[in-house]
Amino acid sequence: MPRGPLAASVERLIGRYREGGAAKTPILAGATDVLAYALYRMPATLAACSNMLRRSAFHLPDITTVTDIGGGTGAAAWAARDQWPDASVTVLDQVVAALQLGRALHAAEPGGVDFTRWQAGSAIPAADLVTISYVLSELDQAAQSELVKAALGAAHRAVAIIEPGTPSGHGRILMARQALLDAGWQLVAPCPHQLDCPVRQPDWCHFSARVERSSMHRQLKGGELGHEDEKFSYVVAVPGGVGAPEVSDRPARVLRHPGKRKGLVELQLCRPDGTASREVVTKRQGAAYKDARDVRWGDAW
Ligand SMILES: C[S@@+](CC[C@H](N)C(=O)[O-])C[C@H]1O[C@@H](n2cnc3c(N)ncnc32)[C@H](O)[C@@H]1O
């Protein structure tokens, strides 16, 4: 496809996503938009989904089926299959061109991923894990709540919801988090507790995933750097009650790039007691200091 129309699509899509808010018509308007999305956004949503699932996988053994709601070109499906290579994934979306491209991208590894036309409000196929990746921002508030509720109804073992790592993205994650708690679900990542989120405005809870840019990606976005850092907010939960993983004695979560200076590491932590605060680990603390030198933003501590 010629680069001109693709670059125009990228510009239009960047504008639409920057505006935010519920879309009355699908944002991906046709094959050009879909290809542009796959080139300039999908690598980032894939990196963010991979990061989220990798950090949650310990709590999610035995995932054999996944339903990805609003899955578009299939970013979360790739992330899920990286984590659970034998899982069968069903990708649901309203945009036929996105499903077609997603299917084509998966053609090299036949089986395992099914792309199905679907409109929010229709039935959601049940699965061990249900993912909602970068979709809530395209729905109005009532539809967001409905979708989260429907995802809970369809998930046997876990729900994973991810949004852009912006204040409004975190706001939508907080809404989803509350719906999960109200339904008696147990949060497994990133939150180390079930209490109110201690990260308050003007701050917001978010993480970062490094994305290597292809040369096409660089050309379309007009960027010089060979990489970008995708910021994301997320929540992963499992059904509460008997059989849910033990979450007492949970480790804290690192909320920022650790500050490293000679002989000390400064960590901003979300703690199991529901507070968020700073911890300074010094060289005198030996093994803890060694660990702190290696810990990264988003890791457990
Ligand atoms: C920003 S894209 C995210 C795609 C993919 N999940 C990812 O992470 O790259 C949002 C997707 O949600 C889908 N979507 C939005 N509203 C929808 C609705 N009402 N019914 C079905 N799909 C919807 C769009 O078609 C689009 O593919």
Side-chain angles (χ1 to χ4, degrees), residues 24-212:
K24 296 233 167 3
T25 52
I27 291 178
L28 300 176
T32 310
D33 277 358
V34 164
L35 187 53
Y37 182 89
L39 281 162
Y40 96 96
R41 276 305 291 157
M42 187 184 172
T45 58
L46 166 58
C49 285
S50 296
N51 197 302
M52 165 180 76
L53 294 182
R54 205 170 47 243
R55 291 187 192 288
S56 323
F58 171 76
H59 300 283
L60 314 179
D62 311 325
I63 297 294
T64 59
T65 51
V66 179
T67 296
D68 179 30
I69 302 176
T73 48
W78 284 97
R81 296 263 291 179
D82 277 351
Q83 203 60 57
W84 301 282
D86 298 325
S88 306
V89 184
T90 304
V91 177
L92 306 175
D93 206 281
Q94 63 185 348
V95 176
V96 171
L99 299 168
Q100 283 170 342
L101 181 58
R103 208 175 282 130
L105 292 172
H106 268 282
E109 49 162 350
V113 186
D114 180 59
F115 289 81
T116 304
R117 186 158 195 202
W118 173 90
Q119 188 73 41
S122 323
I124 297 171
D128 291 339
L129 168 66
V130 175
T131 54
I132 307 177
S133 166
Y134 290 80
V135 179
L136 295 181
S137 63
E138 296 192 19
L139 306 173
D140 64 33
Q141 253 180 22
Q144 291 175 26
S145 302
E146 281 306 307
L147 191 65
V148 173
K149 234 187 263 163
L152 282 173
H156 294 313
R157 288 172 179 271
V159 167
I161 305 173
I162 184 163
E163 281 288 298
T166 58
S168 60
H170 181 227
R172 289 184 291 275
I173 291 296
L174 285 179
M175 175 283 293
R177 182 185 188 273
Q178 194 55 51
L180 295 165
L181 290 173
D182 291 346
W185 283 50
Q186 210 158 17
L187 310 177
V188 295
C191 317
H193 56 79
Q194 308 278 100
L195 304 165
D196 285 348
C197 176
V199 183
R200 303 244 174 254
Q201 285 176 352
D203 198 3
W204 68 98
C205 180
H206 64 290
F207 303 93
S208 180
R210 178 56 57 97
V211 187
E212 299 305 326

Side-chain angles (χ1 to χ4, degrees), residues 263-288:
L264 67 84
V265 179
E266 191 180 313
L267 301 173
Q268 181 66 24
L269 298 174
C270 185
R271 300 174 188 273
D273 66 1
T275 61
S277 60
R278 203 173 64 113
E279 180 166 319
V280 175
V281 186
T282 68
K283 206 167 186 171
R284 273 187 290 163
Q285 288 167 263

